Amino acid sequence: MHMMRFLLVLLVGWTAIGVVGITVSFVNQERTKALKNLGWMIGIWVVYLGALLGTSLHQPQRRLAPGTPQCFGNMCFSVAGTEELPGYLMHQGRLLRVKIIIQNRGTTPKNESGIQAYLVDQQGQRWTEVPGLTGNRLDARVQPGATVISEPVFKLPADVQPQGLIFGHGRFYSGILTIGDSESLLHRPTIALLHR
């Protein structure tokens, strides 16, 4: 487990125990003790959240060269190329297929639950994949040591030049409160570049 994720797990466990202790103190009418412990708990969380936001705002955005994997635990995703799909949309824009290699570096079959990919341009505008054209999904189950290819398709305006992909898990990902995670609160997301 990543060190900062372990720290968050410890903090959440400590908080759960603390809530039980504070509740018992209030039930036993030990108001002063309960408020003192509550103050400690709030203070520790303020320090932790300050470190989280400070790290998120000061770490530079990571840009991964094509073929460089971005890993979430043992599941790794890398951009292996792009392909225009001509003739599908005519004057309504264009379709771009992105080849993504998914690798399981672990020792058990696994998938990366909730993973999504967004295409972004130089201005940071995002496009989601067109449903039903992907083939293997990004959250496909992969055997240990094996790779799977996913090829999501994105619809873009004709004049947009995509910069790269952002892999993410959505708003309710546990990494949102992990210091230094690429998806932590206010952190600039990692971009897997499409071209060198």
Side-chain angles (χ1 to χ4, degrees):
M1 182 183 288
H2 186 270
M3 174 94 162
M4 290 299 146
R5 182 65 59 91
F6 181 67
L7 177 62
L8 177 61
V9 169
L10 282 179
L11 182 58
V12 169
W14 174 79
T15 301
I17 293 168
V19 167
V20 171
I22 290 168
T23 303
V24 168
S25 293
F26 273 120
V27 168
N28 292 336
Q29 298 181 354
E30 298 172 329
R31 182 179 169 83
T32 305
K33 180 179 177 182
L35 292 176
K36 179 181 175 185
N37 290 336
L38 180 62
W40 271 106
M41 187 179 301
I42 291 170
I44 296 294
W45 271 103
V46 166
V47 169
Y48 182 85
L49 292 174
L52 171 76
L53 295 177
T55 301
S56 291
L57 294 173
H58 288 97
Q59 274 189 339
Q61 186 172 40
R62 288 183 61 211
R63 295 172 181 272
L64 303 176
T68 304
Q70 180 177 358
C71 298
F72 303 91
N74 290 323
M75 296 299 293
C76 299
F77 300 80
S78 55
V79 174
T82 61
E83 175 189 10
E84 292 274 348
L85 301 178
Y88 280 91
L89 297 176
M90 304 296 262
H91 303 294
Q92 301 172 8
R94 62 193 175 118
L95 292 178
L96 182 70
R97 176 182 289 145
V98 180
K99 182 178 180 181
I100 300 169
I101 299 173
I102 308 167
Q103 182 182 22
N104 180 355
R105 295 183 176 176
T107 57
T108 59
K110 195 167 185 331
N111 71 317
E112 186 60 31
S113 181
I115 189 81
Q116 301 170 354
Y118 307 94
L119 199 63
V120 292
D121 65 11
Q122 298 285 349
Q123 286 72 42
Q125 189 171 357
R126 294 183 178 196
W127 289 272
T128 57
E129 67 180 275
V130 178
L133 300 177
T134 299
N136 289 320
R137 296 167 44 107
L138 287 174
D139 62 357
R141 192 166 188 80
V142 183
Q143 295 300 314
T147 60
V148 169
I149 305 294
S150 180
E151 296 183 309
V153 175
F154 300 88
K155 178 182 176 184
L156 305 169
D159 59 345
V160 166
Q161 291 303 317
Q163 179 184 27
L165 282 184
I166 293 175
F167 294 104
H169 294 83
R171 295 180 185 166
F172 302 108
Y173 174 57
S174 62
I176 197 166
L177 291 178
T178 302
I179 295 172
D181 191 285
S182 64
E183 295 181 70
S184 63
L185 192 63
L186 300 182
H187 199 285
R188 297 170 191 87
T190 299
I191 296 179
L193 299 175
L194 300 181
H195 310 287
R196 293 190 183 275

